[in-house]
Amino acid sequence: MNAKQIAANKDAFGIAGQVAVVTGASSGLGRACAILLGCGGAKVVVNHLPTSAEAAAKVCEEIESVGGEAFPYAADVSDEDQVAAMFSDSVARFGTLHILVNNAGIQDGARFQDMTLAQWRKVIDVNLTGMFLCSREAIREFLRRGPQPEVSRATGKIICMSSVHQVIPWAFEVNYAASKGGVNLLMQSLAQEFAPHKIRVNAVAPGAIPTRINRSARETEEATGNLLSLIPYGRVGEPADIAHAVLWLASDRSDYMNGTTMFVDGGMSTFPAFRGAG
Ligand code: NAD
């Protein structure tokens, strides 16, 4: 189903009227998730960096064009005060929060011996600390509001955008791989701590989806060929592949999923280099 078909059948997804914050939603996977959740009838806060205001406004327009509600919010997810302001302003506007998609992320790789502390910290700050700060605000709001069984079986849902690199080591991208490994245990520990409150926390681990973050992996034919050799299913992913998994995890259809990572990667995490070896 594409976004328009989802918008025409929004009641089938069971998230209509719920409030969602999607971080890093002006581009790539976050944009696709925000649009699909908006088409499903969620009211969406489209988080973005100040430099991406125009793109974020377009995402909101796209949601509004199918009758949805959205507003853009500039905030750096690694900044405690900006994150707190974003969540309190979102709750002031929409009344509460039901869904958080922790999507914002960056890469800044280097040979390990050349990696600066600033590079290490920046990636950990955005990819891991950003998820800590946003999840903490979301959980505070879920606990404050309490259950709303007429809206959702879960009191709140958090979906973390992880990566196949939460399990696949990644030379020259040590800060990124470490951040995503951290996301996995952040997600699982939160799931364990808050399950008694009916708060579900899961992750999606994409393989290779062409977006800004991985431009260099497609710069030459050779690079594209190398990338495809890592994907048994024989194609790179599309943002919609990821957004559909997020939509499902946000809905009651996945109500018994908690503390789990869905790998959406065309089989990349099956270590295809071992096919026929050994
Ligand atoms: P992208 O660069 O298009 O999206 C990342 C978004 O995060 C951008 O909109 C960027 O402006 C935003 N962002 C960066 N720093 C921010 C900050 N401090 N505060 C708020 N927003 C910030 O790339 P993408 O591929 O869509 O990446 C989205 C997520 O998916 C990331 O967490 C990435 O690690 C993950 N991921 C992507 C792939 C892939 O193949 N594209 C694979 C695995 C995981």
Side-chain angles (χ1 to χ4, degrees), residues 8 35-36 49 58 63 70 73 102 116 122 127 145 165 170 194 197 224 236 261 275:
I35 291 173
L36 220 56
L49 284 175
K58 283 201 180 120
I63 293 170
Y73 200 102
N102 269 325
T116 64
K122 194 172 167 215
N127 295 11
R145 179 200 1 101
H165 294 296
W170 206 9
F194 292 101
H197 297 274
T224 305
V236 293
T261 299
R275 202 163 36 190

Side-chain angles (χ1 to χ4, degrees), residues 25-272:
S26 61
S27 67
L29 308 185
R31 174 181 179 278
C33 292
I35 291 173
L36 220 56
L37 289 169
C39 289
K43 300 170 187 173
V44 187
V45 180
V46 175
N47 163 253
H48 63 92
L49 284 175
T51 44
S52 308
E54 210 176 302
K58 283 201 180 120
V59 174
C60 293
E61 274 168 33
E62 219 165 305
I63 293 170
E64 283 156 5
S65 74
V66 292
E69 254 185 272
F71 80 96
Y73 200 102
D76 176 342
V77 295
S78 66
D79 182 298
E80 187 173 24
D81 293 340
Q82 291 183 34
V83 168
M86 173 168 71
F87 280 83
S88 67
D89 290 350
S90 303
V91 170
R93 175 144 179 173
F94 287 140
T96 187
L97 174 75
H98 304 94
I99 300 160
L100 166 64
V101 182
N102 269 325
N103 167 77
I106 56 171
Q107 268 177 239
D108 189 3
R111 297 193 313 170
F112 185 67
Q113 61 270 39
D114 299 327
M115 187 174 282
T116 64
L117 180 59
Q119 273 177 303
W120 171 268
R121 281 197 174 135
K122 194 172 167 215
V123 171
I124 299 291
D125 279 356
V126 175
N127 295 11
L128 186 56
T129 308
M131 292 204 192
F132 157 69
L133 292 172
C134 292
S135 302
R136 192 179 59 172
E137 292 306 318
I139 282 176
R140 285 174 175 165
E141 173 54 21
F142 299 156
L143 295 175
R144 183 201 66 77
R145 179 200 1 101
Q148 271 184 329
E150 69 288 2
V151 174
S152 174
R153 293 179 76 179
T155 303
K157 283 106 22 168
I158 297 178
I159 298 129
C160 299
M161 200 61 77
S162 186
S163 164
V164 287
H165 294 296
Q166 78 170 36
V167 292
I168 301 179
W170 206 9
F172 312 111
E173 300 280 353
V174 168
N175 46 1
Y176 183 85
S179 75
K180 296 300 186 181
V183 165
N184 179 41
L185 277 172
L186 169 71
M187 176 278 290
Q188 288 186 305
S189 302
L190 290 179
Q192 195 186 64
E193 187 165 342
F194 292 101
H197 297 274
K198 296 279 175 285
I199 294 169
R200 295 194 293 117
V201 190
N202 291 291
V204 172
I209 325 289
T211 64
R212 283 189 334 194
I213 210 170
N214 50 21
R215 287 182 290 256
S216 58
R218 308 184 300 278
E219 263 163 11
T220 61
E221 255 178 53
E222 191 192 355
T224 305
N226 286 343
L227 182 61
L228 283 175
S229 74
L230 297 174
I231 310 170
Y233 203 56
R235 70 164 174 90
V236 293
E238 295 161 10
D241 291 320
I242 305 304
H244 280 280
V246 168
L247 178 63
W248 184 73
L249 283 174
S251 78
D252 279 2
R253 289 177 182 188
S254 61
D255 190 58
Y256 209 48
M257 293 279 285
N258 197 22
T260 296
T261 299
M262 280 177 74
F263 285 82
V264 185
D265 66 353
M268 197 179 223
S269 52
T270 63
F271 297 92

